Amino acid sequence: GALTREGGEDAFRRLFRFYRQRDPSDLRGVVDFSVPGGQVFRSQLSISSVSDQDAYRAGLWPVSQWKAYGLNGYPGFIFIPNPFLPGCQRHWVKQCLKLYPQKPNVCNLDLHMAPEKTIDLWGQSKEQLRRKGSSKWEPRSLLEKLRWVTLGYHYNWDTKKYSANHHTPFPSDLAFLSEQVAAACGFRGFQAQAGILNYYHFDSSLGIHVDESELDHSRPLLSFSFGQSSIFLLGGLKREESPTAMFMHSGDIMVMSGFSRLLYHAVPRVLPNPEGTALPSCLDQELSSDLPAGSVIELSSEEEDWQVCAKYLQSSRINMTIRQVLAEGQKFPEECGTNRKGQAPFEDGQHQENSRTKRHKPNTD
């Protein structure tokens, strides 16, 4: 049954491998929130917690117009299919590619490149990306070698900890977005204190793990997806429990709270978006020019920047996970010894649990 180990392989790992295979002909078992049914039910949001004005300022439809779903067996898990206003997803994609990878934020390239080489990934990559054809052998730009960026309290991949002395200012636009989404889900007063941005390509996966390094597990974990689609596996408190597979499409938001906050999860694969087009149609929509006062969404030299982002997203997916690390008034425990900033996760994802996970050849950047 689902709970037995066969040949040392637990139920989660077995399903991970099944979906990881290059040609998954069978996706019938994957929950699709665009056609809810089965274990999916409609979930209530806290509509009065977010004014329409604040939703608009964050680039979102009023909360009364969102749909939200839960999953039987996963209390505290909330799935919100794309609640972004037309054109607004583009802002977050551009921030993740152009702004958030900049210093003082930390990225995987910092581990094996001289600091001066990683100052302007966007500037060094945009022409190469814009010109990019479809041939497989073209050298990859630095942006295409980006795997993760950390914001706020920087996650230390070696110690699996956050620390008081490795912190940089959290982006205010992303904090505002996160606080509105958390409030809509019933978590008023959520503080965005740490972010891990993951950058995936069609051959990427994210290993089986639990997000437990935050000191306050009573606050939710928010996950935002942009670009191509993926399969997300949500398991149990033990790896012997077989996970539920679901699709995540561009603009979708997942909230893991309560019981679901500390469950095993993984992303076995990235898939072309279901419309079969180079980009999902929600990313083709232009931004309306009458943004509300105080909007965090920028109307910038949109077209030129967007061409670069669009080219990147044709084979990629970006995921932002936002966390509150400390409870109100909580401090980090005193640390022994010196804090090494050594950070070395596996190239392709947040915390691959071991190198065996990598079924495709490692990136030799």
Side-chain angles (χ1 to χ4, degrees):
L3 301 180
T4 56
R5 282 177 178 271
E6 289 166 24
E9 200 177 43
D10 55 62
F12 199 129
R13 171 109 232 112
R14 204 157 52 244
L15 211 61
F16 183 96
R17 278 231 335 261
F18 172 79
Y19 286 115
R20 182 88 192 96
Q21 250 83 68
R22 282 314 319 150
D23 182 34
S25 47
D26 187 8
L27 295 178
R28 281 175 309 184
V30 184
V31 173
D32 188 343
F33 289 97
S34 61
V35 283
Q39 57 184 130
V40 175
F41 60 89
R42 279 295 288 268
S43 182
Q44 292 302 306
L45 292 167
S46 177
I47 293 170
S48 60
S49 296
V50 180
S51 69
D52 290 359
Q53 188 67 9
D54 278 345
Y56 286 135
R57 285 173 54 207
L60 301 163
W61 290 101
V63 179
S64 57
Q65 295 179 36
W66 301 5
K67 289 190 167 69
Y69 299 99
L71 271 180
N72 282 321
Y74 298 94
F77 175 79
I78 305 166
F79 192 101
I80 303 167
N82 178 17
F84 288 92
L85 289 166
C88 288
Q89 287 186 51
R90 291 183 174 195
H91 169 85
W92 303 107
V93 170
K94 190 186 85 177
Q95 298 298 74
C96 287
L97 290 174
K98 185 177 183 178
L99 185 69
Y100 299 157
Q102 293 178 17
K103 299 287 150 285
N105 300 332
V106 182
C107 74
N108 63 297
L109 300 176
D110 297 330
L111 305 185
H112 49 87
M113 289 177 70
E116 62 275 10
K117 290 254 169 59
T118 60
I119 287 174
D120 184 17
L121 303 181
W122 174 268
Q124 294 182 72
S125 308
K126 60 182 188 183
E127 286 315 315
Q128 198 178 338
L129 266 171
R130 207 179 268 137
R131 285 196 310 269
K132 196 174 169 63
S134 52
S135 85
K136 287 269 180 271
W137 55 267
E138 291 179 67
R140 291 187 307 156
S141 62
L142 281 180
L143 264 185
E144 291 166 291
K145 294 181 182 182
L146 190 60
R147 286 289 169 268
W148 53 263
V149 167
T150 53
L151 310 170
Y153 286 111
H154 296 283
Y155 186 73
N156 184 316
W157 306 90
D158 287 348
T159 63
K160 303 231 186 314
K161 287 188 164 72
Y162 299 97
S163 70
N165 53 7
H166 197 197
H167 174 268
T168 57
F170 194 93
S172 59
D173 57 349
L174 185 50
F176 186 76
L177 170 71
S178 305
E179 283 150 23
Q180 306 319 306
V181 171
C185 294
F187 296 93
R188 295 178 93 142
F190 174 84
Q191 293 171 27
Q193 294 173 336
I196 299 180
L197 315 179
N198 279 309
Y199 300 81
Y200 299 84
H201 307 291
F202 281 136
D203 61 348
S204 308
S205 63
L206 171 65
I208 304 166
H209 68 282
V210 173
D211 289 293
E212 57 190 357
S213 304
E214 296 73 27
L215 275 62
D216 181 10
H217 295 152
S218 71
R219 311 306 278 168
L221 184 135
L222 311 180
S223 164
F224 300 86
S225 284
F226 304 107
Q228 301 300 329
S229 300
S230 71
I231 293 175
F232 179 79
L233 296 179
L234 182 61
L237 293 165
K238 297 194 171 71
R239 292 188 34 159
E240 286 74 28
E241 296 175 52
S242 200
T244 297
M246 60 196 85
F247 289 114
M248 290 198 76
H249 303 306
S250 195
D252 290 349
I253 301 175
M254 278 186 340
V255 179
M256 292 170 71
S257 70
F259 171 80
S260 295
R261 177 66 178 76
L262 295 174
L263 299 180
Y264 278 100
H265 55 279
V267 177
R269 71 179 291 151
V270 175
L271 300 163
N273 83 80
E275 296 166 293
T277 46
L279 286 185
S281 53
C282 58
L283 287 168
D284 286 334
Q285 300 169 313
E286 308 240 329
L287 201 54
S288 117
S289 48
D290 53 344
L291 292 166
S295 175
V296 300
I297 305 295
E298 289 163 3
L299 265 176
S300 57
S301 53
E302 239 237 322
E303 219 18 71
E304 205 173 300
D305 282 352
W306 179 245
Q307 286 169 358
V308 178
C309 295
K311 202 60 166 277
Y312 176 89
L313 286 184
Q314 284 178 11
S315 59
S316 307
R317 160 181 185 255
I318 297 173
N319 179 255
M320 316 189 295
T321 60
I322 314 305
R323 308 110 194 282
Q324 176 166 340
V325 177
L326 298 167
E328 192 75 56
Q330 189 178 21
K331 288 200 164 48
F332 285 99
E334 287 302 313
E335 287 166 38
C336 340
T338 56
N339 174 44
R340 290 173 56 245
K341 286 188 186 175
Q343 303 191 326
F346 290 89
E347 273 290 4
D348 244 341
Q350 219 163 311
H351 352 206
Q352 291 283 18
E353 75 258 70
N354 60 39
S355 45
R356 266 190 323 111
T357 305
K358 307 229 7 164
R359 288 277 171 254
H360 59 294
K361 57 182 189 300
N363 295 317
T364 45
D365 293 347

